[in-house]
Amino acid sequence: MSVGSYYRQTSREGLITLQANARHVQGFDQFTELAPKAITAAQRRAINKTLGWLRTHIARSVGQQERIAISAVRQRLKAYRAGSNSQGKLWFGLNPIEASRAGRPRQSRTGVSVAGRRYAGAFYKQVYGDKPDIWIRTASRHFRASDYPESVISASGRPRSGWIAENDSRYPLAKAKISLAEVRPHFESWTNRAHQRLLVVMAQELNFELQKLLGRVRNA
C-alpha cells in the first residue's frame, strides 16, 4: 500500500480514509518482512486509535467554528474501524444541521435565540416529528432563506425547493438550520493532520510489537 490517507467530498458528505504501512515509518522495513501478522495488528490498532482522535478533533473544531454543541457535531461523524484491508474511514454528514441542536433554544415574544444566534419572528414548537424545532412562516417579514437552508415545508407536510407567499396561512413553514458549507475547506488539513498522527501512533504500536517479539526471542 503506497498511497497515504486521503479524502473525498460530495454535496452531502465527506469521507476521510486513513491508511499506512510500516514502510511509511522509518526503521521498521525489515520488521515488516519478519512479522507480517504483528505488522497488520499494529496497523489496525493505530488506525482505530487515530480515528477516535480525529473524530474528537473535528467535532471540537466544527463546534467552535460554527457555534454548535460538540455532541450534535459528533452525531454527524461515524467511524468505520479498520478491517482486513487495513483502512479506517470517518464519515461526516454535511447537510445543514437543525439550529435547535446547536444549544438550548430560548423563546421570547420576538423570536428564538440559540447558541448566540437570533431568529426573529420564529417560534420553538413541535410541528413535525417527535421533538420541537425552531420554525418560521415563510410569509413572515423576518424570514431570510439563508437562516433556513433546505428546510421549507409545504401545507402537505412535504419539503419544498421553493416557497409561496401565503400571508394569511400557517404554511409554508421553514425550519431554522445551520449550513456546514464553511467546513468543507478544512478536509485537506484534517486529513493531513490525521495522517501525521497516524504515523506517530503507528510507530508506537510497531515498537510495542517489536518489543514483544524480542521478549519471546530472549525467553526462547
Side-chain angles (χ1 to χ4, degrees):
M1 184 187 305
S2 59
V3 179
S5 302
Y6 61 93
Y7 72 95
R8 290 185 298 192
Q9 289 188 55
T10 68
S11 61
R12 297 187 176 277
E13 64 184 15
L15 186 68
I16 296 175
T17 299
L18 297 181
Q19 59 184 14
N21 63 31
R23 291 182 175 83
H24 290 148
V25 183
Q26 187 176 4
F28 287 92
D29 299 56
Q30 294 180 346
F31 185 38
T32 304
E33 300 175 0
L34 291 174
K37 290 184 178 180
I39 289 295
T40 299
Q43 286 178 353
R44 291 178 182 174
R45 288 198 306 270
I47 289 171
N48 292 333
K49 287 181 179 180
T50 306
L51 277 176
W53 173 87
L54 180 60
R55 186 168 183 255
T56 298
H57 171 72
I58 291 179
R60 288 176 178 171
S61 176
V62 174
Q64 292 171 0
Q65 175 182 316
E66 301 298 330
R67 291 177 296 160
I68 301 173
I70 293 175
S71 59
V73 181
R74 287 180 67 88
Q75 292 176 5
R76 287 294 187 91
L77 294 161
K78 184 173 182 179
Y80 296 89
R81 294 169 63 85
S84 58
N85 62 353
S86 294
Q87 286 185 340
K89 298 178 184 291
L90 185 67
W91 176 87
F92 189 0
L94 295 175
N95 285 341
I97 193 168
E98 289 84 353
S100 60
R101 296 170 59 190
R104 179 177 296 180
R106 298 183 183 278
Q107 178 78 63
S108 70
R109 289 184 298 175
T110 58
V112 181
S113 60
V114 60
R117 294 177 174 84
R118 176 72 180 166
Y119 297 94
F123 56 93
Y124 182 59
K125 185 178 180 181
Q126 181 178 335
V127 177
Y128 298 106
D130 57 358
K131 63 180 181 178
D133 266 305
I134 301 171
W135 299 89
I136 193 172
R137 296 177 178 84
T138 58
S140 169
R141 63 186 178 88
H142 298 291
F143 174 69
R144 294 191 306 172
S146 60
D147 288 336
Y148 303 86
E150 301 182 26
S151 63
V152 176
I153 303 295
S154 69
S156 65
R158 297 176 180 176
R160 296 172 57 96
S161 58
W163 52 86
I164 304 172
E166 299 180 14
N167 293 302
D168 60 346
S169 173
R170 178 184 176 189
Y171 296 100
L173 297 174
K175 183 191 296 184
K177 294 186 179 183
I178 301 168
S179 172
L180 296 179
E182 295 299 320
V183 310
R184 290 183 177 278
H186 298 303
F187 270 86
E188 182 174 0
S189 64
W190 286 339
T191 303
N192 291 338
R193 289 188 63 182
H195 190 71
Q196 293 305 312
R197 174 71 177 178
L198 172 60
L199 297 183
V200 171
V201 177
M202 190 167 173
Q204 296 170 350
E205 295 297 333
L206 288 170
N207 186 64
F208 173 74
E209 292 292 343
L210 178 59
Q211 295 305 316
K212 285 201 307 182
L213 179 61
L214 292 176
R216 287 196 294 267
V217 171
R218 285 194 295 266
N219 295 329

